[in-house]
Amino acid sequence: MKKIVLSLGGSILVPALESHTIPEYAEVLKQMARRGQVFVVVGGGGEARRYIGVARSLGINEAASDEIGIMITRINASLLCYALGNAAYPSIATSYQQAREYGESGKIVVMGGVTPGQTTDAVSAVLAESVGADLIINGTSVDGIYSADPKTDRTARRYERMTPQELLGIISGARLDAGSNTVIDIVAAKVVERSGIPLLVIDGRKPENLTAAVCEGTFTGTIVSDGKCTPLPL
């Protein structure tokens, strides 16, 4: 059975309380689970960054601010887990060991952050390595990896395929303080490089993009791979 780890940004899942995509993602994940084993790592998004901002204004250090951000990721993960109902393992995994154990149930495993200083992108990459995943998918707010930030640079170009080494070259200057927000962080990229697990970066704002990629093999995005065949569709 194929194993997929999905990194889902909090701002994708819950952009606002009145306009979230939780029910849509729950249905998509159920479809994926019929084709393989699914692990989902949920980020904190804008809500986590707001709380981290408050923490900093109080003089709280970065490690403690990260702990607060992790709490928010687990709240988002809990919302998704409840929406999945019986399709998901009923508890949020708080460690890689728990995620592996919960995965033995055959149900969808949902988790948030794990360690201060480590983004949920990094968590998804380490989790993928830990469970022997066939693919990592990063659902983000852009449709792939660009040469520069496409939101601010009109000349930025999207890569359809790149190697882990090329990805590291692009993001090597990314910051790692609490609440940092890049398409993928350098820790995750290094784990992708060492594990050899393909990474697919797609626009996660539309849940149907995930369905198309996994079930049909059609998508607009960026594949990060060392040249081996990417296991799509499942």
Side-chain angles (χ1 to χ4, degrees), residues 82-107:
Y82 283 125
L84 284 164
N86 292 332
Y89 192 87
S91 298
I92 298 300
T94 58
S95 69
Y96 301 113
Q97 180 177 347
Q98 276 190 348
R100 290 194 301 271
E101 291 172 354
Y102 294 174
E104 293 175 1
S105 69
K107 294 190 174 185

Side-chain angles (χ1 to χ4, degrees), residues 11-77:
S11 295
I12 296 300
L13 192 65
V14 192
L17 293 178
E18 65 277 7
S19 61
H20 58 80
T21 59
I22 295 173
E24 293 85 352
Y25 261 107
E27 289 306 312
V28 167
L29 291 169
K30 290 175 184 177
Q31 291 179 40
M32 289 174 57
R34 297 188 192 107
R35 292 172 172 259
Q37 188 170 15
V38 180
F39 298 81
V40 188
V41 181
V42 183
E47 201 64 39
R49 286 187 284 277
R50 281 190 287 274
Y51 273 87
I52 288 168
V54 172
R56 287 185 180 134
S57 74
L58 296 172
I60 297 173
N61 64 38
E62 288 297 308
S65 296
D66 258 334
E67 292 280 9
I68 291 169
I70 288 171
M71 294 178 194
I72 304 301
T73 68
R74 291 177 179 174
I75 290 173
N76 288 342

Side-chain angles (χ1 to χ4, degrees), residues 79-134:
L79 289 171
L80 178 61
C81 190
Y82 283 125
L84 284 164
N86 292 332
Y89 192 87
S91 298
I92 298 300
T94 58
S95 69
Y96 301 113
Q97 180 177 347
Q98 276 190 348
R100 290 194 301 271
E101 291 172 354
Y102 294 174
E104 293 175 1
S105 69
K107 294 190 174 185
I108 299 168
V109 177
V110 186
M111 65 188 298
V114 173
T115 306
Q118 192 177 66
T119 70
T120 47
D121 284 341
V123 171
S124 64
V126 174
L127 175 62
E129 191 174 43
S130 179
V131 301
D134 298 282

Side-chain angles (χ1 to χ4, degrees), residues 79-185:
L79 289 171
L80 178 61
C81 190
Y82 283 125
L84 284 164
N86 292 332
Y89 192 87
S91 298
I92 298 300
T94 58
S95 69
Y96 301 113
Q97 180 177 347
Q98 276 190 348
R100 290 194 301 271
E101 291 172 354
Y102 294 174
E104 293 175 1
S105 69
K107 294 190 174 185
I108 299 168
V109 177
V110 186
M111 65 188 298
V114 173
T115 306
Q118 192 177 66
T119 70
T120 47
D121 284 341
V123 171
S124 64
V126 174
L127 175 62
E129 191 174 43
S130 179
V131 301
D134 298 282
L135 179 68
I136 306 166
I137 301 178
N138 187 355
T140 185
S141 59
V142 290
D143 60 347
I145 299 172
Y146 282 75
S147 56
D149 186 348
K151 297 176 182 177
T152 58
D153 187 345
R154 292 185 177 181
T155 65
R157 65 184 183 91
R158 179 174 54 82
Y159 300 97
E160 293 187 1
R161 181 179 289 272
M162 64 194 320
T163 66
Q165 294 75 24
E166 290 169 334
L167 174 61
L168 281 166
I170 289 176
I171 63 174
S172 58
R175 62 191 181 93
L176 289 175
D177 51 344
S180 59
N181 184 29
T182 57
V183 66
I184 189 168
D185 72 79

